[in-house]
Amino acid sequence: MFVIGDYIVHPMHGAGVIENIVNKRINGDEREYYVLKLPVGDMVVMVPVAGCECIGVRPVVSRDEALEILNAFPNIEISMTQNWNKRYRENMGKIKSGNLLEVSEVVKGLMCRDVERGLSTGERKMLHSAKQILISELVIALDTNYGQIEEKLSSSI
């Protein structure tokens, strides 16, 4: 169980800090929720404590792991299928995995595709979400700011 002040990652929303733990009654069931404050976009997410493991909520990676991922980004091999639908499903699976290296693959792949051919509206939204997930965790793990990480990623493709 996490405590107030812990930095955690929600696979679909990114990294943030637990601001509070509250009990809420929803549809007649009272449950305990983490109130997760995300630094990107000042968003607040309520995550059911009992469902954290199932959802894939985990602690933020260490500083060393974050540096490893950031330094590996330029060398990530990308191979994306030409079929938009299949590519979208594969990328969504990588994002939902919560694995930061797989999210990095999605970000790099879509950034490269955007430069080469442009992106559809759906893939543009996916790139935005994946970047937010990746950068939010790196910002916390490396104690830096969003702009610096985004610049480093952009200059790596």
Side-chain angles (χ1 to χ4, degrees):
M1 184 163 171
F2 300 107
V3 297
I4 295 172
D6 281 354
Y7 290 98
I8 62 173
V9 179
H10 186 290
M12 294 304 292
H13 297 292
V17 63
I18 297 175
E19 281 196 329
N20 203 355
I21 301 173
V22 298
N23 287 314
K24 289 273 186 186
R25 181 176 296 279
I26 298 176
N27 294 333
D29 292 333
E30 187 160 323
R31 293 189 181 148
E32 198 171 29
Y33 291 86
Y34 294 122
V35 178
L36 182 62
K37 173 90 164 96
L38 304 174
V40 179
D42 285 332
M43 189 163 75
V44 175
V45 177
M46 290 182 61
V47 183
V49 172
C52 279
E53 192 173 314
C54 180
I55 295 169
V57 173
R58 62 174 174 74
V60 170
V61 295
S62 70
R63 179 175 179 77
D64 290 342
E65 290 171 301
L67 283 171
E68 200 173 295
I69 288 168
L70 194 57
N71 292 332
F73 191 80
N75 302 318
I76 291 175
E77 299 263 338
I78 52 167
S79 63
M80 293 189 162
T81 180
Q82 294 302 311
N83 181 301
W84 181 90
N85 206 10
K86 186 175 180 191
R87 185 173 61 244
Y88 188 87
R89 282 194 315 270
E90 288 172 356
N91 284 339
M92 188 56 75
K94 288 179 180 182
I95 292 170
K96 286 181 178 178
S97 77
N99 180 312
L100 207 53
L101 189 54
E102 288 190 16
V103 175
S104 298
E105 290 173 8
V106 172
V107 170
K108 182 162 184 189
L110 290 176
M111 287 173 74
C112 288
R113 188 166 185 85
D114 190 24
V115 168
E116 293 168 7
R117 300 181 183 171
L119 296 175
S120 67
T121 303
E123 284 187 313
R124 189 165 305 288
K125 287 179 183 177
M126 179 180 277
L127 174 58
H128 176 73
S129 295
K131 277 175 90 173
Q132 183 172 324
I133 291 165
L134 175 63
I135 294 173
S136 68
E137 187 164 1
L138 294 176
V139 162
I140 290 171
L142 298 172
D143 193 26
T144 186
N145 68 51
Y146 192 94
Q148 288 177 313
I149 299 293
E150 188 172 36
E151 176 59 36
K152 176 119 171 131
L153 295 177
S154 294
S155 66
S156 300
I157 59 166

